[in-house]
Structure formats: structure tokens, C-alpha cells
Amino acid sequence: MYIYIPLTLLLSPALPTVDCPPFSLSLYSFVGAKVMKVEKVGKEMCRANEVAVDEELELIPESEISPTVAEIDRDGEDMFVPPLNFAMVDNGVFRSGFPDTANFSFLQTLGLRSIICLCPEPYPDPNTEFLKSNGIRLFQFGIEGYKEPFVNIPEDMIREALKVVLDVRNHPLLIHCKRGKHRTGCLVGCLRKLQRWCLSSVFDEYQRYAAAKARVSDQRFMELFDVSSLKHLPSTFSCSTQRG
């Protein structure tokens, strides 16, 4: 029997020992994973041992996996799907790419009070209905998603968006743009400056999400952004404000 093991598990010092029922195995999406042979040990444990494979493997894109496999766990319950590039920024503050309908059930678990959208286009009707039905307030700051060398990040909009982020009455809060890379990265980077992060750490975090699409102009903007007018506002959030 063969299964795919995520690459992150293969990076651990020891080969993983994973729980699995006698006749059921979970499926994993993966990048650069290795093939592992599974030996059943005892009644409820499986030990994964790496084996060599000579033949070429046919990889199935995640987009082609049946929704009944990709979105339902082994107990038959719906699985939560976070938006693209989703992560926690600070207590009560999250970031991501543009949420779609597949992400709504996950977003409900966050108990959001507010969403900051950094895209200029009208908010999609399904998303608007989701906000209304869950009592979530939308703050939209329309920043155009230009490519270099035509990038123009409006400092006044970033400053106003930061004021929304810093107001704990808006928490829990989600920041998003189209892919959660550039516009979202700039806003979060300016928040980090206000939180007194060194520039190298600010840039490291930005590059973690932008990856190969990282822009010198974005990093230059964060470097030059003046946070002095916002220093009177609290920039750390000791605990998440839960909705009542």
C-alpha cells in the first residue's frame, strides 16, 4: 500500500508515526513529496518507511480531486477551507487573499467583526450577503493592483486602513486583497513598523507571502512609511476581542 506524505513531515528528524484506522487513510495534497510504504503495526498505528520508486509518478492536481475527497474528512463531515495565503497577523487580526464561497464556513469560525478589502472593484454579491448574514462590517480601501514599474501605493489609504486595524473595536478583523501578497503585505508591513519590528524582519514576512512576486517598490514604500502620526494609538493586542 502506498500513500503520499506531505513534505513538511519528511523534514522532521525522524520518520513519522501516524495514527490511521485499520482500513482508511487520509489523502494529502503535496508539493515535492516522496512516496512512502506503509506497514501496519498493531491495530491502530502505521509506521511510514521510505522506499525507492523507479517508475515515473503521475501527479494529480488538487483542482482535479473530487470535492467529496478534497472537502470531506473520513468521518463524513465538511472540512473548513481557509482563503489563499491565510495567516494570523496578531491577536484578533488575520490576513488572506480574496475569500470565495468555499471559504465562508471557515471564516465563520473566526467570529469576524470586520473585513478590510484593499481592492477597488465592487464587492461580489455572495460576499456581501455573507457579511450581512454574519453581521460583519466592510471597510474598503480601493488600491489599484498595478504591476511594476507603475506601482502607486496611496499612503493616505494605508494610513486610514491602519487606523481601522488598530481599533480593537473592529476585532476580530480580516485584511485581504486579491492574493494576499502585495497590498495586504504593505499594510501588514506598516503595522509591523508601528510595532517596532526591524526592517529585515518586516521584509522577511513580506517576502514569505509575495515569494517570487516580491516587489522592490513595495519594500521601499514600507521603508519610507512614516508611522509617527500613529504612535499614539495602541499597536499591540494582548487578547482577541470575541464577539458577544
Side-chain angles (χ1 to χ4, degrees), residues 96-107:
S96 75
F98 212 112
D100 61 27
T101 54
N103 309 133
F104 289 170
S105 58
F106 171 80
L107 294 182

Side-chain angles (χ1 to χ4, degrees), residues 14 27 40 80 87 89 93 159-161 167 173 181 191 196 200 202 212 229 239 244:
L27 299 179
K40 185 176 177 185
F80 296 126
V89 177
V93 181
R159 197 174 303 280
E160 290 304 310
D167 189 343
L173 173 147
K181 294 181 178 181
L191 171 65
R196 301 179 63 85
S200 61
V202 172
S229 65
C239 61

Side-chain angles (χ1 to χ4, degrees), residues 56-105:
E56 182 178 354
L57 299 177
E58 181 180 357
L59 306 183
I60 302 175
E62 186 174 3
S63 59
E64 296 181 12
I65 298 176
S66 168
T68 58
V69 174
E71 298 183 8
I72 299 178
D73 66 14
R74 66 188 183 193
D75 297 321
E77 297 181 358
D78 290 343
M79 297 183 69
F80 296 126
V81 182
L84 177 71
N85 272 333
F86 176 83
M88 183 176 183
V89 177
D90 206 325
N91 290 315
V93 181
F94 307 92
R95 63 179 291 168
S96 75
F98 212 112
D100 61 27
T101 54
N103 309 133
F104 289 170
S105 58

Side-chain angles (χ1 to χ4, degrees), residues 204-224:
D204 283 347
E205 182 179 42
Y206 167 83
Q207 292 164 3
R208 193 178 310 138
Y209 296 93
K213 300 287 187 180
R215 296 172 178 170
V216 174
S217 56
D218 287 349
Q219 295 172 82
R220 182 68 172 167
F221 174 83
M222 290 183 281
E223 180 180 2
L224 298 177

Side-chain angles (χ1 to χ4, degrees), residues 111-122:
L112 296 174
R113 277 201 175 115
S114 312
I115 285 181
I116 292 180
C117 174
L118 301 175
C119 301
E121 297 80 14

